[in-house]
Amino acid sequence: MSAAAVLAGLLAAGVRVEVEGERVRLREPRPGVLRPEHVPAVRALKTPLHRLGSGSWRATLATWPGWRRDLYEERAAIREHDGQQPRDLAERCAYLEAAEAPEEPSPILAPPPTTPPVNDAAEAPAPEAPDLEELAA
């Protein structure tokens, strides 16, 4: 499971992100929500978590390349509509997922190549009409 998925699950469980200077603190709604196995995910996404806690994460979206913003929008919509999450939670979880994405977009998200389409029909010679005398013989 990815670090973003782990943290999204924690946010959905009611964990709050608080920022104190450079420190990021996660506050659990009840004891036992945060466990030692969550520590690697928190460390892996400390910077995005810091932005979530300080409220500066929305400004970060404007600096992202188009494909990463598209990924964020898609993930937020899926979480809100299919996952029935409140919009704010869906957006915060989608932010973590998009922030964790690699720097290069996958081929699915990459823009299409700019090579002109090849029109094979225009380059192929027209077929010759059959000789009716040969067909009759």
Side-chain angles (χ1 to χ4, degrees):
M1 184 178 288
S2 72
V6 170
L7 292 171
L10 291 175
L11 292 176
V15 171
R16 291 185 335 266
V17 179
E18 297 176 358
V19 175
E20 298 170 0
E22 292 300 312
R23 294 188 67 148
V24 174
R25 292 187 182 265
L26 300 180
R27 300 285 186 202
E28 55 189 346
R30 62 191 175 285
V33 174
L34 292 172
R35 296 189 302 272
E37 59 264 26
H38 296 136
V39 172
V42 172
R43 286 188 178 143
L45 290 174
K46 183 180 177 185
T47 300
L49 278 172
H50 191 277
R51 289 183 183 131
L52 277 179
S54 67
S56 65
W57 67 276
R58 290 187 190 272
T60 306
L61 296 175
T63 65
W64 282 356
W67 68 268
R68 191 181 297 266
R69 282 192 310 270
D70 291 345
L71 176 64
Y72 159 78
E73 295 284 339
E74 176 187 32
R75 297 303 308 153
I78 289 171
R79 286 182 163 283
E80 182 180 13
H81 295 286
D82 295 348
Q84 300 296 309
Q85 291 182 338
R87 181 69 183 171
D88 183 56
L89 175 61
E91 287 177 343
R92 289 183 293 139
C93 293
Y95 171 76
L96 290 173
E97 292 175 356
E100 187 183 45
E103 287 303 313
E104 292 296 319
S106 71
I108 295 171
L109 296 175
T114 57
T115 57
V118 177
N119 187 353
D120 293 333
E123 295 175 10
E128 293 183 23
D131 189 356
L132 295 178
E133 290 181 9
E134 287 181 20
L135 292 176

